[in-house]
Amino acid sequence: KIMKNIKFVFISLLLALTFNANASVINVFTDDFESGNLSKWTGKNGGPTTGSIVVDPLDSSNHVLNFNSLGSGGDIFSLDTVATTSTFTLSFDYMGSGSSGGGDGFLGLSLGLPGSHTWLFGNSYPSVTTLIDDGVWRNYLVEISNPYPGQSVHLMMEDFRAVAGNAYFDNILLADTSAIPEPSILALMGFGLAGFGFASRRKLRKP
């Protein structure tokens, strides 16, 4: 609980520093799925999604994103788009079940719901970073170049190809690092991301 409170403080600070005046275009998108709803998300073409919030299989006090069925071309999309000119910082936790065909979770960026899109992370798929499938939570923290320079993008995820319900996501953070010009603010954001990563890595100690 202490770690989760620390995470909320840092993320709230990031949002306060970087929130855009347009409610649909922001510089930081984050969700830890503890709200009990998917109000920040929508399905393909603005319709329903098969994503659902479930209890973490390794921690009954935590809630995470899971999927009720397989999909392709994106299953769940952030309602808000993240504005960018060049680079993103992306952090998230992922767990593949490690059984029944493993986990086939995918995460990427899309111009629409869907539109032109690029998968960044996945399982056994060309040109994406592999998500490790071993039944434990792993944190991924990377800086990536915007595949659509100058355009705002949606975050998108899906469960693809294997068995529905065996891919889990948590602690999503997508930030436009290029939209923060002041060095002092950038340093503060880096400190916040470090705290966010530290808080989420508590899951790695789970049996």
Side-chain angles (χ1 to χ4, degrees):
K1 289 296 184 181
I2 293 176
M3 290 296 100
K4 182 162 290 189
N5 289 338
I6 291 174
K7 179 179 69 178
F8 281 140
V9 170
F10 280 121
I11 298 306
S12 297
L13 182 58
L14 288 176
L15 289 171
L17 288 171
T18 61
F19 203 86
N20 192 284
N22 186 333
S24 65
V25 180
I26 58 178
N27 292 333
V28 176
F29 176 85
T30 181
D31 198 353
D32 64 3
F33 305 106
E34 296 302 323
S35 66
N37 61 64
L38 293 173
S39 61
K40 296 182 179 182
W41 304 87
T42 187
K44 187 179 291 185
N45 299 314
T49 173
T50 71
S52 62
I53 296 175
V54 300
V55 173
D56 181 346
L58 301 185
D59 180 359
S60 60
S61 68
N62 187 47
H63 293 84
V64 300
L65 176 67
N66 190 236
F67 295 88
N68 297 319
S69 65
L70 301 178
S72 63
D75 185 300
I76 190 168
F77 301 78
S78 62
L79 276 172
D80 290 331
T81 57
V82 175
T84 190
T85 55
S86 58
T87 58
F88 290 108
T89 294
L90 173 64
S91 176
F92 64 97
D93 293 338
Y94 174 79
M95 181 176 68
S97 67
S99 62
S100 301
D104 264 325
F106 278 76
L107 182 149
L109 301 173
S110 178
L111 289 177
L113 303 172
S116 297
H117 56 271
T118 299
W119 292 111
L120 302 172
F121 292 86
N123 192 304
S124 303
Y125 195 76
S127 304
V128 301
T129 300
T130 297
L131 292 174
I132 298 173
D133 169 31
D134 57 3
V136 299
W137 285 104
R138 294 184 178 274
N139 176 255
Y140 296 81
L141 174 61
V142 296
E143 184 174 79
I144 55 177
S145 296
N146 180 17
Y148 311 102
Q151 301 189 66
S152 300
V153 294
H154 298 269
L155 186 69
M156 65 175 183
M157 291 174 285
E158 67 180 34
D159 190 352
F160 176 66
R161 287 194 311 191
V163 178
N166 62 2
Y168 302 87
F169 290 92
D170 198 8
N171 299 320
I172 307 290
L173 185 147
L174 179 64
D176 172 18
T177 53
S178 63
I180 307 174
E182 294 295 331
S184 59
I185 294 178
L186 184 59
L188 184 57
M189 182 176 177
F191 182 56
L193 287 170
F196 180 88
F198 176 75
S200 61
R201 281 199 299 271
R202 60 188 170 77
K203 294 177 177 177
L204 297 181
R205 297 193 294 271
K206 295 291 182 184

